[in-house]
Amino acid sequence: MVEDDGFRALDRQECLALLAEVPVGRVVYTRRALPAVLPVNFSLDEDGSVLLHSSAGSDLVRAIDGAVIAFEADEFHAASRSGWSVVVTGRATVVTDPAEQARLSRTGPVSWMHVRDGVFVRIESEMVTGRELTAVA
Amino acid sequence: MVEDDGFRALDRQECLALLAEVPVGRVVYTRRALPAVLPVNFSLDEDGSVLLHSSAGSDLVRAIDGAVIAFEADEFHAASRSGWSVVVTGRATVVTDPAEQARLSRTGPVSWMHVRDGVFVRIESEMVTGRELTAVA
């Protein structure tokens, strides 16, 4: 469906396929009652959850563990004024199950940052929305 | 200063210079008590404010007019695992002054979306933070 503003809404499968193509997205959350955003590299789990790798004691992990957050990724091309964006909204939780930790150590993302006492964070893909902008005449 | 996690903090002038290089950033705000994020094209005003162009009746404009929001832009390179991100936090307001509207009609951003009853939104750059990630060994 092409909306009034020139965007086409993407379905969940389209959104997850696009998310799988890019290495970096943005965690959107609330910190000290203000909107906050931090880009991170990520991967997708088999069920479509977003997986992050970070330091256990980082401000990010402390701020988002247990909270409902948004995770956004996009890709735009200035020359054609086209592109897409996808937003996953869901609960973020630090993975504590040892078997799950072991699995993600093999298959999960490796942070681009220096990580101390690394933990994996899972963002459930409870709500997945996306839109595609095609060139405007 | 290179921080523990491998990032170097950027000063305000570095942040504004980087923001001027990219056409698209992300508005980070709260909608129905949930974190929300929307990519938009933008330009910088002479004083470092972020300027958007949108439809007067859009959900975005209604949600952010008068609110303190965050605006983020970044650029990352997967091959070198390097890049930068900048976040502007400040109050967003619809520009209503006719002289200012006229000036922005000439010099302000032109939305990539279809816009009806276009308005300009100014995000004051009250707090500007940024960081640069250089390749991790």
Side-chain angles (χ1 to χ4, degrees), chain B residues 44-65:
Chain B
L44 280 187
D45 207 353
E46 293 157 8
D47 64 353
S49 318
V50 173
L51 295 169
L52 317 178
H53 187 221
S54 187
S55 300
S58 64
D59 287 346
L60 178 69
V61 168
R62 279 183 292 192
I64 70 176
D65 188 20

Side-chain angles (χ1 to χ4, degrees), chain A residues 15-26 40-44 71-76 84 86 112, chain B residues 78:
Chain A
C15 289
L16 295 178
L18 288 165
L19 276 186
E21 286 180 13
V22 293
V24 171
R26 295 143 203 105
V40 290
N41 68 296
F42 74 102
S43 68
L44 280 186
F71 182 82
E72 189 264 0
D74 61 49
E75 203 162 48
F76 286 93
W84 58 266
V86 168
W112 290 4

Side-chain angles (χ1 to χ4, degrees), chain A residues 43-71:
Chain A
S43 68
L44 280 186
D45 207 355
E46 294 157 7
D47 65 352
S49 316
V50 172
L51 295 169
L52 317 178
H53 187 221
S54 187
S55 301
S58 65
D59 286 347
L60 178 70
V61 168
R62 279 183 291 192
I64 70 176
D65 188 21
V68 174
I69 64 166
F71 182 82

Side-chain angles (χ1 to χ4, degrees), chain A residues 7 26 74 112-113 136, chain B residues 7 26 74 112-114 136:
Chain A
F7 279 94
R26 295 143 203 105
D74 61 49
W112 290 4
M113 297 184 294
V136 179
Chain B
F7 279 95
R26 296 142 202 108
D74 61 49
W112 292 4
M113 298 185 294
H114 295 290
V136 179

Side-chain angles (χ1 to χ4, degrees), chain A residues 48-121:
Chain A
S49 316
V50 172
L51 295 169
L52 317 178
H53 187 221
S54 187
S55 301
S58 65
D59 286 347
L60 178 70
V61 168
R62 279 183 291 192
I64 70 176
D65 188 21
V68 174
I69 64 166
F71 182 82
E72 189 264 0
D74 61 49
E75 203 162 48
F76 286 93
H77 307 285
S80 56
R81 297 186 168 194
S82 62
W84 58 266
S85 68
V86 168
V87 178
V88 172
T89 307
R91 190 167 301 275
T93 42
V94 171
V95 173
T96 53
D97 177 65
E100 188 66 353
Q101 285 171 336
R103 181 178 74 86
L104 294 179
S105 296
R106 295 189 305 273
T107 63
V110 176
S111 176
W112 290 4
M113 297 184 294
H114 296 289
V115 164
R116 287 186 182 190
D117 301 326
V119 290
F120 293 100
V121 176

